[in-house]
């Protein structure tokens, strides 16, 4: 095959896909006023997302916090400065690690489930059935899912932050000789030093996870709605959803941090 | 009356419809047969405006479907029921909620009126006993009957049936065929039926058309097709078919 044609074909598919996602997000915003009719679906979806992602998030967050404390602790020990361990773990958990791991886990558990569910609906004509009943799939299917993750991702992130910091404290106390009191005091001090009602690290992290939640749900819905060609198509939709979600989590995470810490 | 006139449609890289012309007069059941993948489902989706033809006309009661705006499409779809292959029910809604869906979303009916109407159509298709069940837990035949109830709940003038007996045993198929004939006779619904089954075609059809390479290879009354010498007619209607 002509490599030029292959490249333009690839680019065309990517741009086409991105255009679909942006379009879907805009249409979802447009139907936002109709959410009062979808409250039950919203609650169902939020609950499901929480139940699916909670156990994994807790385990991964605890280990992430522990790893963070170990990695920085090894270096800090050389300078005899392990007292700042609480500060460093708390800040990196809230700013970056908490939202990041929550996002990735949501993409893998809930995003994939959304793509599979909508993809199956697509290939078994259920999306067409909605259209025939003049029911807009954006309003009926996409809106409750996007809002559910927009709410659940920050909630789970708060939990990951706490559990991560706790995971760090265990390592700090057991392996690095930092007393639990000192660890927690320095952690809380670090988080309250910005002087705003909600500490900056926390609200930037929460905003980030809100953006992640919206992105994961939109990308996964789009992948499902564009599924084609039977069971194979559903499998590909799941793959697309998880891959695109993870890419977006990394890129958007960078953009938000950059915006709040370097631009302003 | 449903009219497709010289309709061409390309999907992906394949020409699916190539000059298809079908006319379904009011009050009749038109049966569309043909090998798998020849575009029978695609044809039905043209009638209800999910697909637009690349060339040619699609009209319902003289109104041009492809040029309709959203509002006109909604009005058209209100007058049309669509029974999808395998029912296409929403998995997380009970049978009764599935059937109620079109009424809940778009009519001003009260809760009790909706419940009464849902019960009435479920009774008609013999599914009243299963109203609280969920689609993943019911058989293919029950899904189809629930799908048919959903198609009929808005009192449509037209119903499009996509393989209403695919994968069903002969006894359940028989019931569905009787139901389709009854819908035509009692509710004077005009039907366009896609099927592979000779039994379905002869029991609920008035006219039959057989699709090949994107257009009708042969068309006629049920009697004409049953007795035709055309190889496709013999393949679909002959002894040993079904
Ligand atoms: N949305 C679509 N996009 C691309 N190709 C499609 C689409 N829908 C159907 N097709 C293709 O059109 C052909 C006819 O499909 P269909 O009408 O479902 O066949 P059948 O006669 O068995 O109902 C198939 O080859 C199918 O792959
Ligand atoms: Mg078909």
């Amino acid at each position: 095959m002509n490599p030029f044609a292959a490249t333009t074909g690839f680019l065309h598919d990517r741009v086409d896909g991105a255009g679909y996602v942006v379009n879907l997000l805009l249409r979802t915003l447009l139907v936002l006023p109709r959410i009062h009719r979808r409250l039950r679906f919203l609650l169902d979806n939020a609950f499901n997302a929480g139940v699916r992602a909670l156990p994994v998030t807790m385990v991964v967050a605890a280990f992430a916090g522990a790893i963070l404390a170990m990695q920085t602790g090894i270096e800090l020990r050389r300078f005899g400065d392990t007292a700042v361990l609480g500060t460093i773990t708390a800040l990196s958990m809230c700013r970056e690690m908490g939202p990041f791991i929550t996002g990735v886990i949501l993409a893998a558990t809930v995003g994939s489930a959304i793509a599979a569910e909508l993809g199956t609906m697509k290939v078994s004509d259920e999306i067409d059935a909605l259209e025939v009943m003049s029911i807009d799939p954006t309003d009926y299917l996409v809106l409750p899912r996007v809002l559910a993750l927009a709410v659940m991702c920050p909630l789970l992130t708060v939990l990951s932050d706490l559990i991560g910091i706790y995971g760090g404290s265990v390592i700090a106390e057991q392996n690095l000789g930092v007393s639990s009191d000192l660890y927690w005091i320095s952690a809380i001090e670090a988080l309250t030093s910005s002087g705003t009602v909600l500490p900056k690290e926390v609200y930037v992290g929460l905003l980030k996870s809100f953006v992640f939640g919206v992105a994961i749900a939109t990308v996964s819905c789009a992948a499902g709605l564009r599924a084609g060609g039977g069971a194979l198509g559903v499998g590909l939709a799941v793959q697309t959803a998880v891959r695109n979600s993870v890419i977006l989590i990394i890129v958007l995470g960078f953009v938000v941090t950059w915006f709040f810490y370097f631009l302003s | 009356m449903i009219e497709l006139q010289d309709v061409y449609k390309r999907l992906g890289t394949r020409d699916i419809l190539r000059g298809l012309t079908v006319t379904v007069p009011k009050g009749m059941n038109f049966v569309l047969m043909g090998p798998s993948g020849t575009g029978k489902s695609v044809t039905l989706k043209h009638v209800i405006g999910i697909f637009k033809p690349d060339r040619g006309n699609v009209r319902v009661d003289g109104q041009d479907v492809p040029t309709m705006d959203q509002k006109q499409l909604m009005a058209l779809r209100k007058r049309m029921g669509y029974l999808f292959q395998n029912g296409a029910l929403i998995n997380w809604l009970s049978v009764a909620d599935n059937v109620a869906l079109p009424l809940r979303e778009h009519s001003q009916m009260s809760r009790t009126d909706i419940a009464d109407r849902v019960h009435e159509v479920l009774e008609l298709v013999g599914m009243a006993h299963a109203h609280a069940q969920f689609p993943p837990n019911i058989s293919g035949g029950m899904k189809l009957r629930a799908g048919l109830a959903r198609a009929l709940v808005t009192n449509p003038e037209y119903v499009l049936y996509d393989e209403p007996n695919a994968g069903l045993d002969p006894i359940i198929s028989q019931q569905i065929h009787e139901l389709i004939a009854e819908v035509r006779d009692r509710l004077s619904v005009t039907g366009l039926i896609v099927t592979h089954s000779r039994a379905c075609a002869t029991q609920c059809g008035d006219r039959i058309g057989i699709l090949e390479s994107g257009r009708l290879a042969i068309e006629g009354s049920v009697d004409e097709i049953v007795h035709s010498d055309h190889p496709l007619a013999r393949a679909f209607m002959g002894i040993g078919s079904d």
Side-chain angles (χ1 to χ4, degrees), chain B residues 93-158:
Chain B
L93 295 179
S94 70
V95 165
D97 285 340
N98 261 291
V99 176
L101 195 54
L103 300 180
R104 293 226 174 101
E105 291 290 320
H106 293 300
S107 76
Q108 311 301 323
M109 287 166 74
S110 71
R111 268 166 178 276
T112 48
D113 286 352
I114 290 179
D116 289 347
R117 175 67 189 146
V118 167
H119 186 76
E120 194 182 337
V121 277
L122 282 177
E123 200 99 277
L124 176 75
V125 300
M127 283 286 290
H129 63 286
H131 68 96
Q133 305 230 38
F134 284 81
N137 309 326
I138 61 179
S139 68
M142 290 166 87
K143 280 184 202 168
L144 268 174
R145 280 187 282 168
L148 182 56
R150 186 176 68 184
L152 293 175
V153 77
T154 49
N155 263 321
E157 298 161 46
Y158 296 92

Side-chain angles (χ1 to χ4, degrees), chain A residues 173-198:
Chain A
E173 198 173 9
Q174 301 292 322
N175 302 77
L176 294 160
V178 181
S179 81
S180 152
D181 284 348
L182 176 60
Y183 179 90
W184 282 104
I185 288 170
S186 57
I188 290 167
E189 207 164 78
L191 290 180
T192 48
S193 64
S194 67
T196 44
V197 182
L198 205 58

Side-chain angles (χ1 to χ4, degrees), chain B residues 24-25 27-33 161 164 176-182 184-185 189-195 197-209 220-226 237:
Chain B
V24 186
M28 270 200 188
N29 275 342
F30 189 101
V31 176
L32 188 61
M33 303 179 90
Y161 305 88
I176 299 257
H177 301 159
E178 281 164 12
L179 211 55
I180 294 175
E182 197 182 327
R184 173 196 57 198
D185 299 335
V189 164
T190 309
L192 180 51
I193 307 169
V194 165
T195 182
S197 140
R198 169 199 157 91
C200 179
T202 52
Q203 284 167 21
C204 41
D206 298 298
R207 288 186 75 74
I208 299 177
S221 68
V222 173
D223 256 4
E224 284 165 6
I225 302 293
V226 168
M237 309 304 288

Side-chain angles (χ1 to χ4, degrees), chain A residues 15 18 26 64 98 113 123 127 157 166 168 188 201 206 210 223 250 257 263:
Chain A
V15 172
L26 293 179
V123 300
I127 306 287
T157 298
Y166 174 76
I188 290 167
E201 335 309 314
L206 289 185
F210 168 81
I250 303 227
T257 309
L263 203 64

Side-chain angles (χ1 to χ4, degrees), chain A residues 139-259:
Chain A
D139 154 25
Y140 195 74
L141 301 172
V142 180
L143 177 63
R145 283 167 177 76
V146 170
L147 282 187
L149 281 200
V151 174
M152 287 315 283
C153 196
L155 280 181
L156 286 168
T157 298
V158 171
L159 258 174
S160 320
D161 290 351
L162 290 175
I163 294 171
I165 297 173
Y166 174 76
S169 83
V170 174
I171 294 294
E173 198 173 9
Q174 301 292 322
N175 302 77
L176 294 160
V178 181
S179 81
S180 152
D181 284 348
L182 176 60
Y183 179 90
W184 282 104
I185 288 170
S186 57
I188 290 167
E189 207 164 78
L191 290 180
T192 48
S193 64
S194 67
T196 44
V197 182
L198 205 58
K200 181 170 181 183
E201 335 309 314
V202 175
Y203 75 70
V204 170
L206 289 185
L207 177 80
K208 212 182 257 181
S209 57
F210 168 81
V211 172
F212 290 170
V214 171
I216 295 165
T218 312
V219 162
S220 305
C221 286
L225 291 177
R226 278 160 64 94
L232 184 65
V234 177
L236 287 176
V238 172
Q239 188 198 19
T240 308
V242 176
R243 188 234 292 136
N244 290 353
S245 298
V246 172
I247 294 176
L248 275 181
I249 287 169
I250 303 227
V251 174
L252 292 174
F254 168 82
V255 171
V256 174
T257 309
W258 178 76
F259 181 83

